[in-house]
């Protein structure tokens, strides 16, 4: 209004419930301009590609808390191949983290112990939920997790970090975004093991590109089920970080063309170790990796 500009088009997130999406819809109608809904993780990837002027096709590893996927599911750890910015603007989802239950929906993001219970169920250790969180024994958490009609599923890296943080006894509930993940990162930094250990067979990649961390999670659960001391929590976190970084780099290399540059995007890459280690491991594979500046 101040500049007396008439916008030619608007863009917004694909999620219909975001305030910015609703605002864009109103403005699009007011100015009679087309509205383009952009998938959340494609936007993360394209932002980094634009920042570096990457003009050809590229691969993207995007890790964050939540973004609505094209299939209306909750995405958050995605492996994409993307066209050049400004071209068709298309992408292909060539892989994702194995889906986990989100018991209680959005409540699971505020109460990481729910994601911890979800990880136990993923590893077929439902019987340990009450042992880890006896104070919540009154909640039928295992039944909720396995009820497909009541529980949404997610491939979110953010919820994965939440769950491991809860398993380690670091954060049961959080008021601020990524608080549980930051506690987990800090616990790893407090570990005496340098470099961070890597469980060589700690992950599996399916023919459809699904990255499963069940072997790693199974060992972490075994470490923590009888001992959640600070020392053990630090060891478990270091193992989690080291193995996750190795798994992500191997996953990118296995599922995308070796000639493609790789952009690393999304809030989870604010984790300093993960950002530097994934980039270093991709470089060892002969791949160029780009992080947002």
């Amino acid at each position: 209004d101040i500049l007396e500009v008439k916008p030619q088009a608007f863009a917004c997130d694909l999620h219909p419930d975001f305030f910015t999406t609703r605002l864009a819809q109103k403005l699009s109608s007011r100015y009679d301009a087309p509205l383009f809904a952009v998938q959340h993780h494609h936007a993360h990837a394209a932002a980094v590609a634009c920042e570096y002027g990457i003009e050809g096709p590229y691969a993207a590893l995007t890790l964050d808390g939540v973004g609505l996927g094209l299939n209306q599911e909750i995405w958050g750890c995605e492996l994409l191949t993307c066209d050049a910015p400004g071209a068709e603007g298309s992408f292909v989802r060539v892989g994702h983290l194995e889906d986990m239950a989100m018991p209680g929906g959005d409540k699971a993001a505020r109460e990481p112990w729910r994601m911890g219970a979800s990880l136990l169920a993923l590893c077929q250790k439902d019987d340990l939920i009450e042992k880890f969180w006896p104070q919540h024994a009154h909640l039928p958490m295992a039944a909720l997790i396995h009820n497909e009609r009541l529980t949404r599923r997610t491939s979110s890296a953010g919820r994965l970090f939440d769950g491991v943080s809860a398993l380690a006894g670091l954060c049961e509930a959080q008021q601020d975004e990524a608080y549980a993940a930051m506690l987990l990162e800090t616990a790893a930094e407090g570990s005496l093991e340098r470099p961070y250990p890597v469980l060589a067979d700690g992950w599996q990649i399916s023919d459809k590109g699904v990255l499963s961390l069940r072997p790693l999670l199974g060992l972490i659960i075994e470490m923590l089920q009888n001992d959640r001391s600070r020392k053990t929590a630090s060891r478990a976190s270091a193992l989690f970080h080291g193995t996750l970084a190795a798994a992500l780099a191997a996953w990118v290399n296995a599922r995308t063309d070796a000639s493609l540059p790789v952009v690393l995007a999304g809030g989870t890459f604010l984790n300093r170790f993960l950002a530097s280690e994934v980039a270093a491991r991709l470089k060892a594979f002969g791949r160029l990796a780009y992080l947002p500046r």
Side-chain angles (χ1 to χ4, degrees):
D1 289 343
I2 293 172
L3 299 178
E4 297 182 347
V5 170
K6 184 181 184 299
Q8 294 181 327
F10 291 90
C12 66
D13 193 275
L14 188 65
H15 201 303
D17 292 336
F18 283 3
F19 166 77
T20 48
T21 301
R22 295 196 294 269
L23 176 62
Q25 289 168 346
K26 291 179 181 177
L27 292 171
S28 172
S29 177
R30 180 192 302 173
Y31 288 100
D32 192 27
L35 175 65
F36 298 95
V38 183
Q39 199 282 322
H40 190 89
H41 301 97
H42 187 204
H44 269 309
V48 183
C50 288
E51 187 176 336
Y52 286 94
I54 297 173
E55 297 183 354
Y58 58 95
L61 180 61
T62 58
L63 278 61
D64 66 0
V66 60
L68 186 67
L70 297 182
N71 58 1
Q72 300 300 302
E73 292 297 323
I74 302 166
W75 293 4
C77 181
E78 312 306 317
L79 185 55
L80 314 175
T81 55
C82 307
D83 284 335
E88 291 299 320
S90 63
F91 71 94
V92 177
R93 189 193 195 203
V94 296
H96 62 86
L97 183 68
E98 183 177 19
D99 289 338
M100 308 163 282
M102 275 185 70
D106 288 342
K107 199 168 187 178
R110 298 189 296 273
E111 299 182 7
W113 78 271
R114 291 172 178 265
M115 289 311 304
S118 176
L119 295 182
L120 288 174
L122 184 69
C123 295
Q124 299 180 323
K125 296 182 182 293
D126 308 51
D127 57 310
L128 293 177
I129 294 176
E130 188 172 334
K131 181 176 182 179
F132 271 85
W133 299 284
Q135 67 274 33
H136 297 298
H138 61 286
L139 294 175
M141 190 53 60
L144 178 61
I145 289 169
H146 293 294
N147 190 322
E148 294 182 4
R149 290 184 303 144
L150 295 178
T151 302
R152 296 293 299 272
R153 300 189 68 81
T154 182
S155 58
S156 166
R159 300 293 80 80
L160 172 68
F161 271 78
D162 286 349
V164 176
S165 185
L167 287 170
L170 300 171
C171 185
E172 180 181 317
Q174 58 185 349
Q175 301 273 325
D176 303 304
E177 188 175 353
Y179 181 63
M182 287 189 283
L183 289 177
L184 190 65
E185 181 181 5
T186 302
E189 291 172 353
S191 172
L192 297 178
E193 298 186 73
R194 292 290 191 278
Y196 291 163
V198 174
L199 181 63
D201 55 353
W203 66 91
Q204 298 162 345
I205 303 171
S206 77
D207 293 340
K208 294 183 178 180
V210 177
L211 175 65
S212 173
L213 298 171
R214 291 195 199 194
L216 167 64
L217 295 171
L219 179 56
I220 286 174
I221 291 166
E222 187 178 315
M223 292 170 65
L224 295 167
Q225 62 179 321
N226 294 314
D227 177 14
R228 290 204 278 178
S229 64
R230 180 177 297 182
K231 181 178 179 181
T232 304
S234 291
R235 286 179 51 233
S237 182
L239 178 64
F240 172 74
H241 277 81
T243 305
L244 178 61
L248 291 172
W251 184 38
V252 172
N253 204 49
R255 294 292 299 176
T256 63
D257 191 293
S259 66
L260 294 179
V262 184
V263 304
L264 307 176
T268 303
F269 279 114
L270 287 169
N271 183 306
R272 288 176 297 179
F273 170 81
L274 202 65
S276 61
E277 186 67 11
V278 172
R281 286 181 173 273
L282 285 170
K283 185 177 180 180
F285 283 129
R287 306 291 295 270
L288 286 172
Y290 298 90
L291 281 156
R293 289 177 296 214

